[in-house]
Amino acid sequence: MKKIVLTLVAVLTMTSAFAADANNSTNEELQAYNMKVNYGKLGDALDLTVDQIDAMKDIHKIFCAEMMNAASADNSEKTDLIYKAVGKDFKYMSYILTDKQMEKYKQLMKATLQNRGLVK
């Protein structure tokens, strides 16, 4: 009887450990698509005005939502959705940023996406 109980406990323990590991990898993958930023630091890096920061916040909310949609999409569609979201973001940001600011923003976005393993 002891062997049965101990075997049952061992099986339940291993099952819960595998489930916890699966949840951790899913959370890590979703975290890569979380594109929230510190607007103050980004504003300092790009030398933005207060009006530009306000406009950027609105545009970036749309970008964040599109990236989370990409995170929940099938693997075959993720890359395409990421590139579409980034393209829209660049298009909208080009309306509010100067050419110099836009170039720096593109560099920062490219580095961020590469560091998170979302693009090559």
Side-chain angles (χ1 to χ4, degrees):
M1 188 68 170
K2 277 184 174 180
K3 288 181 181 180
I4 293 173
V5 171
L6 290 174
T7 304
L8 184 61
V9 169
V11 168
L12 290 175
T13 304
M14 289 187 332
T15 303
S16 64
F18 288 130
D21 189 40
N23 286 339
N24 285 340
S25 64
T26 302
N27 287 337
E28 289 173 7
E29 183 179 339
L30 285 177
Q31 191 62 30
Y33 289 88
N34 183 358
M35 300 303 289
K36 293 181 181 177
V37 297
N38 182 328
Y39 295 109
K41 288 185 179 182
L42 185 58
D44 290 342
L46 298 176
D47 195 29
L48 300 178
T49 65
V50 175
D51 293 333
Q52 285 176 314
I53 292 174
D54 289 340
M56 177 179 276
K57 287 179 183 179
D58 294 334
I59 294 168
H60 198 71
K61 285 179 188 176
I62 295 167
F63 176 66
C64 288
E66 290 178 351
M67 288 299 289
M68 292 312 289
N69 287 340
S72 62
D74 292 335
N75 285 338
S76 61
E77 298 175 348
K78 282 185 181 186
T79 303
D80 189 42
L81 289 173
I82 291 169
Y83 282 111
K84 285 181 181 179
V86 171
K88 279 185 192 178
D89 187 54
F90 285 168
K91 179 181 173 186
Y92 297 150
M93 289 295 186
S94 69
Y95 294 129
I96 63 168
L97 300 177
T98 65
D99 291 338
K100 184 178 177 183
Q101 290 170 331
M102 191 64 199
E103 286 303 313
K104 187 155 188 174
Y105 180 74
K106 285 181 179 180
Q107 290 174 350
L108 292 171
M109 180 67 75
K110 181 180 176 186
T112 300
L113 294 172
Q114 286 176 338
N115 289 341
R116 294 179 181 200
L118 299 176
V119 297
K120 294 180 181 181

